[in-house]
Every structure is written in structure tokens, then in C-alpha cells.
Amino acid sequence: MKELLVLSGKGGTGKTSLTASFICLAEKAIACDYDVDASNLPILLKPVDPKGHEFSAGLTADLDKDICIDCGLCRDLCRFDAINSKYQISTLSCEGCGFCAEVCPVEAISMSERPSGRWFASMSDQDGKMVPLFYAELRPGEENSGKLVAQVKSSARQKALEEGYSLLISDGSPGIGCPVISSLVEANLVVIVAEPSVSGFHDLKRVRELLALRGVRSILLINKWDLNPEASEAMEKWAQECDIPCAGRLPYSSELAAAVAVGEVPVSRKELRDLILPVWENIAKTLEKQN
Amino acid sequence: MKNIAICSSEDKAEAMVDGRFGRCSYFMVWNPESSDFKSLKNTGIDAAHGAGTGAAQVLLQNNVGVVLTSRVGPKAFQVLNSAGIKMYQGQDNISVQALLEKYLAQQLEELKQPNN
Amino acid sequence: MEIAVASGKGGTGKTLVATCLARILAEYNPIVIDADVEEPNAGLVMPHRVIDTKPAFRPVPEVDMESCTLCGKCAELCRFNALVVLPSEVMVFTELCHSCGLCAYMCPENAINEVNHKIGDIEESDLLSGGQLITGRLLVGEVQSPPLIKAARETRRQDSEYRLVDCPPGTTCPAIESIRDSDFCLLVTEPSLFGAHDLELSIAATKLLDVRTGIIINRWQGDDADVGIIAREQDIPILERIPYSLELAKSYAKGENPLTAMPELQVILENVIKMVKERVA
Ligand code: SF4
Ligand code: SF4
């Protein structure tokens, strides 16, 4: 089984629209959305009959005011200002460290599991081709530890194993933190989607730094290259120096923006399909060579 | 003699292995002197982070000298390695009992570095 | 007044809005705080002169092996599995530690001291357009961004009437830490299904914080689309709309001043400031 992960330092580079396109162009693949913070792949792939599962991560403190003797110890020791003067604990601020529960002289505080979100297993109908889709929704304000990403990934891989899929295409989470690191586990190739701008180049370098650290191979795809042809060229040159192959460049396309705005997978339109197909073929070829 | 721990999906020897060291549900611990299995719940599994180090600590307290697992992360590897616990490359889609037999027949390779 | 500029996802034009607001408010010497510490970008589009760079720290345990009896208490208590007690040593995994202080407090032998661990830098600069820029920059590989965000927001060389926080995207802890306690939160979004979905999540997060909010629609093309529906349902005002402009996108990609490429942006954002002021008053 191989996993192709699509990343970009930041959102807004067209990463999700391209991931959805690759999923539709691939002969047979499982789709995963690791952007559990704001999952957008389902908007394009329109899952039918998703099955939701509760997910919890870490702990949170609960204080029983009937037992509390107003000693103030917990409040003084909590480093996260989670306990206010009325001994109310803010779940949003509570880090779940358990310091308060440990020191409370009358055991008024207990730690409980922290409901953090939900993950979904679903199917998406792409012109008669049924694509399994796994995604999740983190609750607002919860920490994105990467555990939910790991959950989505292991459920998808399980399904792949059971039903003989040999390819996983996943939409990575933005940034370079924990969720991205979880996304990278067992990925065979990363497509870095980058925009040719000052900040886009900066983001590209940071992603590559992380990939180098984890020893994961990557391939570069420049999106909206014509916004800044000089920067596109500089990026390609840089990639060559870093031994990163290029999958190609895609121009800015108002057609693509229009398709996505109404929730259509870009490659469902012929013009866009012709544009994206060669890039996908390059990626697929490179992926084949990875182990 | 030290015990042998196998990452498992359930608390019995016939269960399928779970490849992930930190996130497996149970450890089946085999005692070479009595040839008995005992199950240990992996309490680290619910943690948002640090499942691997938590799981390693559990094994340390249970006189384990060998772990059979498919994937072990860098932090857990560091702990197990420093504690002198040897890790052997497990397989997926195989029962706990069957994997142990492969180990005893010396068919598994020692893990010399983290692979997750 | 402190205005947080946030968005459900990156790439919506959050930094564009924050930095243009700073240019417009130049006469007040505003302070721009780049709280997007994983990918700080404001400095890339705002000409500035770095004045000072200070390291930022958080406390992590250090075990004194002279006093330690390997009792195992710290490892048992740490909810983050950051400590592991081996037969002859205690291992500390700094990246797992949340700096709660429990281990040091509870160690029966007082063998644990908390020491400073560097998590990033805070860079203080003068903006050439007027005012200051405070940039938090997280070290690559460091995972605890909230303490750095907090430190960046608390840094002030000189106070100003206007403080603008360029927040990290999303609705998780880093975004919450950046928006918390600000006077107003501007949510920048795009008029698409993606934009509407992300906006809905951002609104849910700001509701947890009980902060006043308003929406700016960027890359507007004559239709609020689903963003309009969400705004109505959630009862959050749409303060302004920034029209789509290829010129603007091109000049911004080169790092040029957006107010030159799109002069009407000045009027739009002045209006935003006016409306925010009315709502905060
Ligand atoms: S568990 Fe920790 S963070 Fe939460 S309230 Fe108690 S001391 Fe504070
Ligand atoms: S300070 Fe808290 S999180 Fe850090 S090692 Fe000690 S107990 Fe664990």
C-alpha cells in the first residue's frame, strides 16, 4: 500500500482542490482529509451516509463545589489560569495536567476524558466510482495534537488492508506542527503545493525543512505560477538544488476557482481535467518509484 | 529470564497483533519460564501525546526484555533502547501467538532504529 | 484597542488585512503582532528594521540524579508521559512536557528543578511605514506555540492606541490564545463553500471567548454566496467586502504595498476601522 500526501505550508494554495482532483483521476484510491481543524475535502467529495465516531484526547478537570473547602490551592498552582475566583474551571483553558486534582486536600477535583471531536467513515460517489472517504471534525478550541489525524489515518489504512486498496491519497493539514507530523507517518511521497509569492517561497522552505528532518521524499507542484513567473522560476531552481523533482506548474484559473466555489471537483470540467491530468501523471510516475 | 511483550489488538494470545507500539490496545506478555501469557492494558493509549513513552514505562515495570512490534517511534525507541529492551520487527495480519513462534524460531529481525 | 485578525484557514487574506490596517493607522504608530508563530509572514510584506531579538522560554523539568531515588512518582503523575523512569536514570522528553510544574512540586526528594527551555524568538522591529512589528517565531520542531504567542502579545516597547494581532489560522489552541482578551476580532473569509464552512468554525471559536466579531469578505465577486447565509444565521455583521483583483494578487505576491495596487482598499479598511470603533465603544 502506498500513501500520497498533499501538503502546503499554508492554506489557500489550492491544495484541497488538487487533492480532490487527484483522487478522481486515480484509478482506485482511498481518500483522507487530515485537516481536522477545518476539513474541506468533504465539501468537494460530498460523502454519502457518513458514520460518525466520538473522539476524545487528553483530560479535563471537574470541580465539585459541594466538597470544595475554598482553600485556593488549586487556583494558585494551576499554571494555565483555568480556575477562577468562583472555582469554576474553564475547559478551554484547562490543559488537563491534573495538578489541581493531585493537590486538592479534600479530593474535590476529578479528571475526566475530554471530548475533542468526531471522525467519519464514508463513501463518495464520483461518477459511479465509489471512493471511501475518511475525515474528522475537531471541536473548536480543542488542541490538534495529531491524535485525531492518526485516528483518521489508521481507520483508512485498516479499510485499505481489508478491501485490497493499494493507494491512499490524503489532504494534509496546514503548517508544520503535530498534525502535519502525524500526517507524514508512513507517507511514501509528499506533493508540496506552493504558490509563487514571497511568503509562499518561505512556507515551501519550512515544509521542506520538516520533510528533510523526517526523511520523506517530496515533489513540487507550483500552482498559479503566472501570478509571479520570476518567483516560479526561482522556486523550481531551488527545488532542483534540493533534489526535489517538479510535477509541473499550473496557471491561475478562474474556471478552477468557479468550480470550487460551487463545490465541484475541478477535473469534472473537461478544460481543467486537461490541465491537471499531465501533472497527475508525473506524480503517479514518481510515486511508483518510491518504496 | 525476561518477559517478551507483543503488541496486541485484544487481551488474548489468539488475537491479531497491533503494529503500533504506543497505540496498541494491549500488550500480551509471555513469560518464558512458565510459558504463560498475561495481558497488560496499554494505559498510554488515551494520551493526546506521549503514548510511546507511556507504553515503554508500562513495559519497564513488568520485567520485559523483548518487544515484538511493527512500528516504534523515536521517543519510545530511545526509552526501550536505554533500558536494554530489545525490539524485533513484527508483522501485520498475524496472531500474537504466531508472531511469538516466529520470534522463538529466530525468524524476526532486530530493530536497530525507530521506524515510525 | 486590540484587534485580532483571524480566519478559519490560511490564505484568506488575513495578513493582507492586518498589515494594510497598520499602514492606514500609521500616524498612530500601531503595533502589529505576528502571532502566527509557526509561519510568521507579516514581516515579509511590511518593510521593517529589526531592533532586538529576544529568546522566549518555557519551564521544563531537570532531574538532579544526585538526589533522585528513582521512585517513579514523577513519571506516574505526569499526564503527558514526558518523564520516564528507567532502572538507572530519568529521561525527560521536553517536547512532550506542557510545563505544568506538577512533577517538580510533587517530587518527594525535591530532585526536580524547572529550567528554561527555548521555544522561539520574539523579534521587535520598527515598521518603516510607522509603528512597530512584534514577530513570534517558533523553533522548527517545537510544538508548544501558545506560550510563545502569549509572550509575543505581552511584549510592548511603547504602547499604542492600536494593536493589531495577525492570528494563526484555525480554531485550535494557538488561534484561541491569539484572540483571547482582544477587543474585537475580524474574521477574514472568502465567498465560497470552503470559506463559509471555515467561517462557521471560527465563529464557534470566538463565541467560546465571548469577543465581539465582524466579517470581512475578501476576493468578493459580487456575491456573498454561503458566507452571507452563515453571517445571517449566526448574527455576525459583514463589515466590508474587498473586491477580487488579479492586480492586487500579483502585486501582493511580489511583496508590494497593496494600497498602491488597489487604492479603494484604503477606503474599505478605513470604514472597517470606523465600524470596529463604533462597536467597541
Ligand atoms: S488540570 Fe491542570 S490546567 Fe486543568 S485546571 Fe487543573 S491545574 Fe489547571
Ligand atoms: S512539568 Fe508537567 S508536563 Fe512537564 S514533565 Fe513535569 S509533570 Fe509532565
Side-chain angles (χ1 to χ4, degrees), chain C residues 166-185:
Chain C
D166 186 1
C167 302
T171 57
T172 53
C173 316
I176 297 283
E177 196 57 50
S178 313
I179 303 170
R180 190 190 285 277
D181 301 324
S182 54
D183 299 292
F184 198 92
C185 180

Side-chain angles (χ1 to χ4, degrees), chain A residues 5 24 35 44 50 69 74 79 95 104 118 123 142 167 170 179 187 241 262 266 287:
Chain A
L5 175 68
C24 292
D35 191 355
L44 295 182
I69 52 166
C74 57
R79 295 253 173 109
E95 193 83 3
C104 176
R118 281 151 67 78
M123 292 303 272
E142 286 304 312
L167 179 61
S170 10
E241 280 160 18
V262 293
L287 180 66

Side-chain angles (χ1 to χ4, degrees), chain B residues 50 53 57 75 78-79 82-83, chain C residues 75 81 84-86 91 93 96:
Chain B
T53 54
Q57 182 80 68
K75 292 191 270 286
Q78 204 187 328
V79 174
S82 307
Chain C
N81 300 318
V84 182
V85 179
L86 292 136
M91 277 187 164
F93 290 90
L96 293 175

Side-chain angles (χ1 to χ4, degrees), chain A residues 79 97, chain C residues 58-61 74 77-83 92-93 96-104 112 114:
Chain A
R79 295 253 173 109
C97 69
Chain C
R58 66 184 176 88
V60 299
C74 55
L77 288 173
C78 177
R79 288 300 202 312
F80 309 104
N81 300 318
L83 298 148
V92 180
F93 290 90
L96 293 175
C97 171
H98 285 225
S99 303
C100 72
L102 175 61
C103 51
I112 301 182
E114 289 184 272

Side-chain angles (χ1 to χ4, degrees), chain A residues 113-190:
Chain A
E113 258 182 35
R114 191 180 178 106
S116 303
R118 281 151 67 78
W119 64 272
F120 302 87
S122 69
M123 292 303 272
S124 157
D125 183 351
Q126 295 303 321
D127 276 333
K129 178 176 82 180
M130 295 308 284
V131 181
L133 166 65
F134 291 81
Y135 62 101
E137 280 169 10
L138 196 72
R139 277 202 195 188
E142 286 304 312
E143 181 199 19
N144 191 351
S145 62
K147 195 182 164 196
L148 187 49
V149 171
Q151 173 74 61
V152 171
K153 188 185 276 259
S154 76
S155 310
R157 293 188 84 95
Q158 182 72 31
K159 171 105 176 170
L161 224 51
E162 280 163 11
E163 300 190 4
Y165 280 83
S166 56
L167 179 61
L168 236 76
I169 299 180
S170 10
D171 192 359
S173 38
I176 52 166
C178 286
V180 178
I181 295 173
S182 293
S183 310
L184 281 175
V185 174
E186 294 178 297
N188 301 83
L189 182 68
V190 170

Side-chain angles (χ1 to χ4, degrees), chain A residues 162-231:
Chain A
E162 280 163 11
E163 300 190 4
Y165 280 83
S166 56
L167 179 61
L168 236 76
I169 299 180
S170 10
D171 192 359
S173 38
I176 52 166
C178 286
V180 178
I181 295 173
S182 293
S183 310
L184 281 175
V185 174
E186 294 178 297
N188 301 83
L189 182 68
V190 170
V191 181
I192 312 177
V193 180
E195 249 185 72
S197 66
V198 184
S199 57
F201 205 170
H202 174 82
D203 294 343
L204 170 61
K205 287 181 179 159
R206 286 183 56 120
V207 171
R208 127 93 201 178
E209 211 178 312
L210 177 72
L211 295 182
L213 212 66
R214 311 285 301 193
V216 186
R217 294 284 301 164
S218 55
I219 182 166
L220 176 68
L221 199 182
I222 298 180
N223 195 17
K224 310 181 198 168
W225 72 270
D226 46 346
L227 279 186
N228 192 341
E230 298 88 60

Side-chain angles (χ1 to χ4, degrees), chain C residues 156-201:
Chain C
R156 45 196 82 193
R157 296 163 60 74
Q158 223 166 37
D159 231 331
S160 161
E161 199 172 319
Y162 292 97
R163 298 166 53 81
L164 301 156
V165 187
D166 186 1
C167 302
T171 57
T172 53
C173 316
I176 297 283
E177 196 57 50
S178 313
I179 303 170
R180 190 190 285 277
D181 301 324
S182 54
D183 299 292
F184 198 92
C185 180
L186 287 172
L187 298 172
V188 184
T189 185
E190 283 179 324
S192 67
L193 284 173
F194 287 180
H197 177 249
D198 300 345
L199 176 68
E200 206 175 350
L201 298 170

